[in-house]
Amino acid sequence: MALTGRAALLAALGSLPVGIWEPGWTGILAVNAPLALACACDYALAAPVRRLRLTRSGDTSVRLGDTADVTLTVANPSRRPLRARLRDAWPPSSWQPGTEQAASRHRVTIPPGERRRVTTRLRPTRRGDRRADRVTVRSYGPLGLVSRQGSHEVPWTVRVLPPFTSRKHLPSKLARLRELDGRTSVLTRGEGTEFDSLREYVPGDDTRSIDWRATARQSTVAVRTWRPERDRHILLVLDTGRTSAGRVGDAPRLDASMDAALLLAALASRAGDRVDLLAYDRRVRALVQGRTAGDVLPSLVNAMATLEPELVETDARGLTAMAVRTAPRRSLIVLLTALDAAPVEEGLLPVLTQLTQRHTVLLASVADPHVARMAKARGNTDAVYEAAAAAQAQVERHRIAEQLRRHGVTVVDALPDDLAPALSDAYLALKAAGRL
């Protein structure tokens, strides 16, 4: 039994001190008989907490930045009405800072034998699984002098998915894809390896695409149009090692890499290509294979939701071997990793030929916007030194990128907001060139 603030105020206003029970005390300090009697009656009339039945329903997943509603149903099987305050506890990252108090606490009044629902609105600030903690209920008597308190375990999990902010670029990339496929008035001439259709020659068309047999059967010159091949295999490889934990802007590099991978997966699946995912550092963290076009994006998002950077050096040899096993036939391997000198020169370059001799390799890396701002800084001595340091770092990245290109790797190095569209453009360029 716990005294409320109302009981303490009555005791302070009374002529005699109130009876106080405290853990560790062996007796009663003083007695205010009328108030003690009122407290005892109030306690007896408060609905019991342990007998309450609580169940959950509601959202089980939400994109980072959106809200999820989880409903708690409280049933009161006792013969006394429940007047209570309820705290639905979740991890701190389930809400924006400063909003937990208002979002997790509820007042309920439940008549005997009835039930009520309360809704807790979550707005998570991190990816991953958010699991509900205990539900604490404080039941008050009709006078509000004392309360009963207890907790219940009511399990529930909400998976916080990657936000996929780059999906705003998808319509423009699909329009470009339709151009490559010859489904719009802007036709790709002489590209790809699958014959699409014949059309009338217009000035500027590549003469090598003229179909002379078809021309001989009609009064106009006919040219062949081509479309990129479909049903190609694309393996997205996410490096989840130490370098992916570095923060660029407000998020780890891994988050920007995942966003770029999702846009490319959405585009490639619309293009008729098959997309798989491998997340690796020293062991496999996630593997998605054999999904249909309609199921690939939800599967990737769900697999990426719980990925976190591991503070270990990525095993480049193991990553390469796993990629080769996952893609046994010729594929486009998209490696999302860092362009840092040591991991590339000491780890990736020595084993890169295992990938390039069989596959087309595209490496995408997130550039640090802070370094880009430093490179433009001027005005005082400190700013000039920062600009010099940033320029040196950029030169080093360009050197590493050039080394990779000499090994036949297509390199995309872009700021976090630009990486996703730049990677999709590189994919479309490879498709248009018939290199997939």
Side-chain angles (χ1 to χ4, degrees):
M1 180 177 72
L3 296 177
T4 66
R6 181 180 300 178
L9 178 61
L10 291 174
L13 295 176
S15 58
L16 294 174
V18 67
I20 302 175
W21 291 263
E22 289 289 347
W25 289 79
T26 58
I28 300 175
L29 298 180
V31 177
N32 182 329
L35 184 56
L37 180 60
C39 289
C41 293
D42 205 38
Y43 179 79
L45 294 174
V49 173
R50 302 293 182 185
R51 293 174 57 191
L52 297 176
R53 294 195 296 269
L54 290 84
T55 57
R56 291 190 187 273
S57 61
D59 296 330
T60 56
S61 64
V62 62
R63 288 196 183 278
L64 183 64
D66 293 341
T67 58
D69 290 338
V70 179
T71 299
L72 190 67
T73 302
V74 185
N76 177 19
S78 71
R79 297 181 179 180
R80 283 165 279 178
L82 175 70
R83 309 169 188 88
R85 291 183 180 178
L86 180 149
R87 179 175 183 262
D88 189 5
W90 290 75
S93 58
S94 302
W95 292 281
Q96 298 290 330
T99 63
E100 176 183 358
Q101 179 108 359
S104 63
R105 287 166 170 77
H106 310 274
R107 288 178 177 270
V108 292
T109 301
I110 308 177
E114 295 189 15
R115 66 184 64 189
R116 294 291 185 271
R117 293 184 177 91
V118 295
T119 299
T120 301
R121 176 158 291 180
L122 309 178
R123 192 180 182 89
T125 58
R126 292 179 57 189
R127 288 182 296 100
D129 290 338
R130 297 292 168 268
R131 293 181 173 83
D133 203 342
R134 295 174 299 175
V135 177
T136 301
V137 182
R138 181 173 290 178
S139 172
Y140 294 89
L143 301 178
L145 298 178
V146 295
S147 64
R148 302 169 182 256
Q149 181 169 308
S151 297
H152 294 259
E153 298 286 346
V154 192
W156 194 260
T157 301
V158 174
R159 173 156 290 187
V160 186
L161 307 173
F164 193 15
T165 55
S166 63
R167 63 181 178 272
K168 61 188 177 185
H169 299 290
L170 187 57
S172 63
K173 304 307 174 187
L174 290 175
R176 175 58 182 157
L177 179 65
R178 286 192 292 270
E179 293 176 8
L180 294 179
D181 279 344
R183 289 196 291 267
T184 67
S185 59
V186 182
L187 292 173
T188 303
R189 297 181 294 276
E191 297 174 339
T193 56
E194 288 187 3
F195 173 73
D196 184 34
S197 61
L198 293 171
R199 63 174 177 84
E200 185 177 346
Y201 174 86
V202 295
D205 282 337
D206 189 346
T207 57
R208 291 173 299 179
S209 64
I210 296 176
D211 191 315
W212 295 107
R213 291 186 178 181
T215 300
R217 294 193 297 268
Q218 58 189 38
S219 59
T220 59
V221 178
V223 295
R224 295 184 294 269
T225 61
W226 306 82
R227 62 185 177 189
E229 291 189 14
R230 291 175 172 270
D231 199 30
R232 299 297 142 206
H233 181 226
I234 299 173
L235 176 61
L236 303 172
V237 181
L238 281 174
D239 179 0
T240 57
R242 173 186 60 82
T243 57
S244 68
R247 300 189 73 82
V248 287
D250 296 329
R253 276 193 176 95
L254 181 61
D255 285 32
S257 296
M258 289 193 299
D259 193 54
L262 288 174
L263 180 62
L264 178 56
L267 180 62
S269 62
R270 297 284 187 92
D273 292 333
R274 294 171 290 113
V275 182
D276 292 339
L277 169 72
L278 169 65
Y280 192 95
D281 42 69
R282 288 187 173 275
R283 62 180 180 87
V284 176
R285 301 291 176 177
L287 182 61
V288 178
Q289 288 182 285
R291 298 298 192 272
T292 61
D295 188 47
V296 64
L297 200 60
S299 299
L300 294 185
V301 168
N302 193 57
M304 291 177 180
T306 56
L307 286 179
E308 294 293 343
E310 300 292 331
L311 299 182
V312 296
E313 198 69 41
T314 298
D315 177 12
R317 191 172 299 276
L319 183 149
T320 302
M322 188 63 196
V324 170
R325 286 198 297 270
T326 308
R329 291 189 293 272
R330 181 171 180 79
S331 307
L332 171 63
I333 295 183
V334 181
L335 180 58
L336 295 116
T337 187
L339 270 179
D340 296 351
V344 173
E345 292 181 328
E346 299 174 13
L348 183 60
L349 283 177
V351 296
L352 190 59
T353 55
Q354 298 179 30
L355 296 178
T356 55
Q357 67 183 2
R358 181 184 298 180
H359 306 288
T360 300
V361 180
L362 195 164
L363 186 144
S365 181
V366 186
D368 192 342
H370 181 61
V371 174
R373 289 193 297 269
M374 286 174 56
K376 299 177 181 179
R378 299 293 187 273
N380 55 52
T381 304
D382 290 342
V384 171
Y385 276 112
E386 287 183 355
Q392 184 177 5
Q394 290 175 334
V395 168
E396 184 72 3
R397 288 179 71 87
H398 294 158
R399 182 182 68 82
I400 297 299
E402 190 57 36
Q403 280 186 289
L404 291 167
R405 291 187 182 101
R406 286 198 295 269
H407 283 76
V409 178
T410 301
V411 178
V412 176
D413 184 20
L415 298 175
D417 292 340
D418 301 328
L419 182 66
L423 179 59
S424 294
D425 287 340
Y427 161 76
L428 291 173
L430 291 172
K431 205 168 186 64
R435 291 182 56 191
L436 298 188

